């Protein structure tokens, strides 16, 4: 990390020396007012700068300068490091007779609030977070008009000084968990912090696990629901995502649509996602296991068709399956990196052309194409991209185990996944709550989405003392 020794004096020369070789820095002098201003033009709002600085400086005389600087919007500085950071954040530094003041006229260009591209919903709000932390905080405050919503701010990164905000609701969130999260953030030593995904890797309980231990979301309504449930939200400046802690494995299979639609439909969709989880992990591996070791499991009518489809394939089923899974991942990655219109074309045309050509060339069987395509489609049903990516990675390991030991390898793979999940924690709480520890009362908002009249308690994983979320009036 880079460290610089800073002198104690606070002067124009010191500030200019700290910001030397910055071609985008503006330094303007007003000799008639015995004043100088220093600022970055691209970090300030031009209209505010004219109204608050240029116009007043053109109207007043030198004797009125001290009286104007005593107004509340001009903040007197005493620390050179704070003054430099203030300029970098979009403030104008005003130097007058040995004194330094900061005036906040920041107004960097930010993206307008739009709908989320990764967490689409059919009904419900469609606004999403942007890269400006202040805009994101306003979206939260608009939904939670309560003085109990508390926000703590931290600066992370020796060079970047990235603002990290921790949000929680007082008297609902577990304060020991808030303080533990605060300690983890303050222990981070890095040059720069760019996004929430990088932050989670510094503060996770088990950073070597493939499973995400913090829920990420781009939706303000999801963040608010986590806050009211007793969870803690982290927001990073310049990042359009929020992080929720503690997180449960089953939480990644929940979608906002579950709560905006009728409870019966929400329950059906949630159960469908858990079925998709089993399909995406086991379907291709089951094909490899059956076609390699367990032909007796295949019905006689299907066995003839399967034998004909594999008649020309020169590879063992495990190599055949891994080849097609890798091709699917290549198509998926190419579609994600290319422009949206081209990416969709590559995904559809590439999948059809390559799949058909591979079958005709005898490199794979048409039954495997169906299995691989079904597994890929099932992975898209999982709402969280981070969890979907983790499960796709695990699928390769299960396929290899099935190719080595057949059904026994498939069982071993599933057992290893369950054992690993059982040992994971998120902020010190069990990752597979409410299954272990067993909390049947929480199941009505995990495996199903019960009617709101039954969702009276907050999740036990949050360790909140305020357990009652709602009361039904008689």
């Amino acid at each position: 990390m880079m460290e610089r020794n800073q002198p104690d004096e606070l002067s124009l020369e010191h500030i200019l020396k700290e910001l030397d070789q910055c071609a985008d820095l503006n330094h303007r002098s007003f000799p008639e007012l015995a004043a100088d201003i220093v600022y970055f033009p691209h970090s300030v709002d031009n209209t505010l700068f004219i109204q608050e600085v240029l116009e007043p400086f053109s109207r007043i005389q030198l004797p009125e300068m001290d009286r104007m600087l005593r107004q509340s919007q001009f903040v007197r500085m005493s620390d050179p490091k704070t003054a430099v950071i203030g300029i970098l954040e979009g403030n104008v530094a005003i130097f007058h007779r040995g004194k330094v003041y900061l005036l906040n006229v920041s107004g960097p260009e930010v993206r307008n609030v739009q709908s989320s591209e990764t967490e689409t919903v059919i009904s419900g709000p469609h606004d999403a977070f942007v890269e400006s932390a202040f805009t994101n905080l306003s979206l939260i405050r608009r939904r939670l008009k309560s003085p109990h919503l508390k926000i703590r701010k931290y600066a992370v990164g020796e060079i970047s000084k990235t603002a990290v905000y921790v949000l929680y609701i007082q008297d609902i969130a577990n304060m020991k968990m808030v303080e533990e999260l605060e300690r983890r953030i303050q222990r981070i030593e890095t040059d720069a912090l760019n996004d929430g995904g990088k932050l989670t890797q510094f503060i996770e309980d088990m950073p070597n696990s493939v499973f995400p231990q913090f829920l990420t979301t781009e939706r303000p309504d999801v963040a608010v629901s986590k806050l009211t449930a007793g969870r803690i939200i982290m927001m990073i400046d310049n990042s359009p995502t929020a992080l929720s802690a503690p997180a449960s494995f089953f939480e990644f299979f929940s979608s906002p649509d579950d709560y905006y639609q009728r409870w019966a439909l929400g329950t059906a969709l949630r159960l469908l996602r858990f079925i998709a989880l089993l399909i995406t992990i086991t379907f291709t591996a089951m094909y490899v296991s059956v076609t390699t070791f367990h032909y007796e499991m295949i019905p006689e009518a299907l066995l003839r068709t399967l034998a004909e489809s594999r008649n020309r394939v020169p590879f063992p089923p495990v190599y055949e399956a891994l080849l097609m899974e890798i091709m699917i991942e290549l198509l998926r990655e190419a579609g994600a990196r290319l422009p949206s219109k081209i990416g969709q074309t590559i995904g559809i045309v590439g999948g059809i052309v390559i799949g058909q050509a591979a079958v005709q060339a005898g490199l794979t069987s048409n039954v495997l194409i169906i299995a691989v395509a079904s597994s890929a489609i099932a992975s898209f049903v999982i709402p969280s991209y981070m969890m979907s990516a983790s499960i796709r990675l695990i699928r390769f390991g299960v396929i290899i185990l099935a190719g080595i030991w057949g059904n026994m390898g498939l069982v071993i793979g599933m057992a290893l996944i369950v054992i690993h999940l059982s040992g994971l924690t998120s902020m010190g709480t069990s990752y597979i709550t409410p299954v272990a520890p067993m909390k049947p009362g929480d199941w009505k908002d995990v495996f199903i989405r019960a009617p709101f009249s039954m969702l009276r308690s907050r999740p036990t994983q949050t360790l909140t003392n305020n357990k009652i979320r709602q009361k039904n009036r008689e």
Side-chain angles (χ1 to χ4, degrees):
M1 292 177 292
M2 182 178 68
E3 296 183 358
R4 300 180 63 177
N5 295 325
Q6 300 197 25
D8 294 334
E9 63 174 325
L10 179 58
S11 63
L12 175 62
E13 291 75 17
H14 168 73
I15 299 298
L16 293 178
K17 184 178 179 180
E18 283 293 304
L19 298 174
D20 62 345
Q21 301 185 34
C22 293
D24 54 342
L25 181 71
N26 268 17
H27 169 214
R28 301 180 63 172
S29 298
F30 298 84
E32 67 280 4
L33 300 177
D36 292 85
I37 61 173
V38 175
Y39 63 99
F40 287 99
H42 51 73
S43 297
V44 302
D45 185 298
N46 191 53
T47 303
L48 282 176
F49 177 71
I50 294 174
Q51 293 177 350
E52 300 292 337
V53 180
L54 295 185
E55 289 184 356
F57 278 28
S58 64
R59 292 196 304 264
I60 65 173
Q61 302 297 324
L62 179 59
E64 302 173 292
M65 190 69 178
D66 288 327
R67 180 165 56 86
M68 186 189 75
L69 293 176
R70 285 196 293 269
Q71 296 177 9
S72 59
Q73 64 264 38
F74 297 93
V75 181
R76 174 83 179 272
M77 290 288 106
S78 58
D79 178 42
K81 184 177 180 180
T82 305
V84 171
I85 293 176
I87 296 173
L88 294 170
E89 290 179 345
N91 293 271
V92 173
I94 303 171
F95 300 83
H96 177 67
R97 292 178 174 174
K99 299 178 182 178
V100 182
Y101 302 85
L102 287 185
L103 177 62
N104 185 5
V105 290
S106 61
E109 295 294 331
V110 296
R111 181 166 56 95
N112 293 329
V113 176
Q114 299 172 341
S115 60
S116 173
E117 295 184 1
T118 59
E119 298 178 72
T120 57
V121 296
I122 299 173
S123 57
H126 290 274
D127 54 343
F129 291 131
V130 295
E131 285 73 17
S132 170
F134 291 114
T135 302
N136 296 340
L137 293 175
S138 70
L139 294 174
I140 298 291
R141 286 286 187 188
R142 187 186 305 172
R143 289 171 166 84
L144 283 180
K145 302 178 180 67
S146 170
H148 294 284
L149 174 60
K150 306 300 180 182
I151 302 176
R152 298 185 182 183
K153 181 181 178 181
Y154 309 92
V156 179
E158 295 295 325
I159 299 176
S160 65
K161 303 297 182 185
T162 305
V164 177
Y165 298 88
V166 175
L167 293 73
Y168 64 94
I169 298 182
Q170 194 175 39
D171 300 328
I172 294 180
N174 185 286
M175 293 310 299
K176 291 183 179 179
M177 199 173 292
V178 174
E179 293 167 0
E180 172 61 23
L181 186 59
E182 178 182 13
R183 284 193 293 269
R184 295 188 185 187
I185 293 175
Q186 292 176 337
R187 284 201 304 262
I188 298 175
E189 295 184 2
T190 184
D191 285 340
L193 182 69
N194 306 319
D195 188 73
K198 187 175 181 180
L199 175 64
T200 59
Q201 297 178 60
F202 283 109
I203 61 177
E204 285 178 334
D205 292 12
M206 300 180 66
N208 295 325
S209 174
V210 297
F211 291 101
Q213 294 152 55
F214 288 85
L215 180 71
T216 59
T217 181
E218 293 183 355
R219 297 181 56 86
D221 56 327
V222 173
V224 168
S225 69
K226 302 303 179 185
L227 285 169
T228 55
R231 304 185 191 275
I232 307 167
I233 294 295
M234 288 177 292
M235 309 190 75
I236 300 90
D237 198 14
N238 302 316
S239 174
T241 58
L243 308 174
S244 172
S248 168
F249 173 76
F250 305 103
E251 194 178 0
F252 292 90
F253 297 88
S254 175
S255 171
D257 267 333
D258 298 347
Y259 301 96
Y260 298 141
Q261 300 178 13
R262 304 293 297 175
W263 71 268
L265 181 57
T267 297
L269 292 175
R270 191 168 293 184
L271 292 175
L272 182 64
R273 296 187 196 109
F274 287 113
I275 295 173
L277 171 64
L278 295 176
I279 291 175
T280 191
I281 292 178
T282 64
F283 205 13
T284 306
M286 180 64 73
Y287 169 87
V288 172
S289 172
V290 170
T291 55
T292 305
F293 299 100
H294 307 288
Y295 272 103
E296 68 278 2
M297 296 178 60
I298 306 175
E300 184 177 353
L302 180 60
L303 183 60
R304 186 178 298 106
T305 303
L306 184 61
E308 292 176 357
S309 68
R310 283 199 46 79
N311 187 36
R312 298 176 55 199
V313 179
F315 308 116
V318 62
Y319 295 157
E320 178 190 6
L322 289 175
L323 174 63
M324 295 312 300
E325 287 285 355
I326 291 173
M327 291 305 302
I328 287 290
E329 293 301 320
L330 289 175
L331 287 171
R332 189 201 307 265
E333 190 67 13
R337 303 305 169 193
L338 290 172
S340 58
K341 294 182 179 179
I342 301 177
Q344 293 175 2
T345 304
I346 289 293
I348 297 173
V349 176
I352 295 174
V353 172
I354 293 177
Q356 185 67 25
V359 172
Q360 292 180 352
L363 297 179
T364 184
S365 66
N366 49 16
V367 178
L368 176 64
I369 294 292
I370 296 173
V372 171
S374 300
S375 298
I377 293 173
S379 68
F380 291 129
V381 177
I382 301 173
S384 170
Y385 173 80
M386 299 298 293
M387 180 58 71
S388 176
S390 300
I391 291 172
R392 294 202 311 268
L393 181 61
I394 289 172
R395 187 168 63 208
F396 283 92
V398 177
I399 291 172
I400 293 173
L401 289 174
I404 297 174
W405 292 305
N407 285 349
M408 178 60 70
L410 180 58
V411 172
I412 291 174
M414 298 299 292
L416 290 175
I417 294 173
V418 173
I419 292 171
H420 178 67
L421 289 174
S422 301
L424 274 181
T425 59
S426 176
M427 293 302 297
T429 63
S430 173
Y431 192 62
I432 56 173
T433 303
V435 174
M438 184 72 69
K439 301 290 183 182
D442 287 352
W443 288 17
K444 56 182 176 289
D445 195 23
V446 173
F447 301 106
I448 64 172
R449 205 284 277 175
F452 286 121
S453 59
M454 298 177 61
L455 303 179
R456 302 180 183 181
S457 301
R458 294 187 173 90
T460 56
Q461 187 186 20
T462 60
L463 304 179
T464 176
N465 293 323
N466 190 344
K467 300 182 183 298
I468 303 301
R469 174 159 44 189
Q470 66 183 25
K471 295 181 179 180
N472 298 327
R473 294 181 179 178
E474 298 298 335

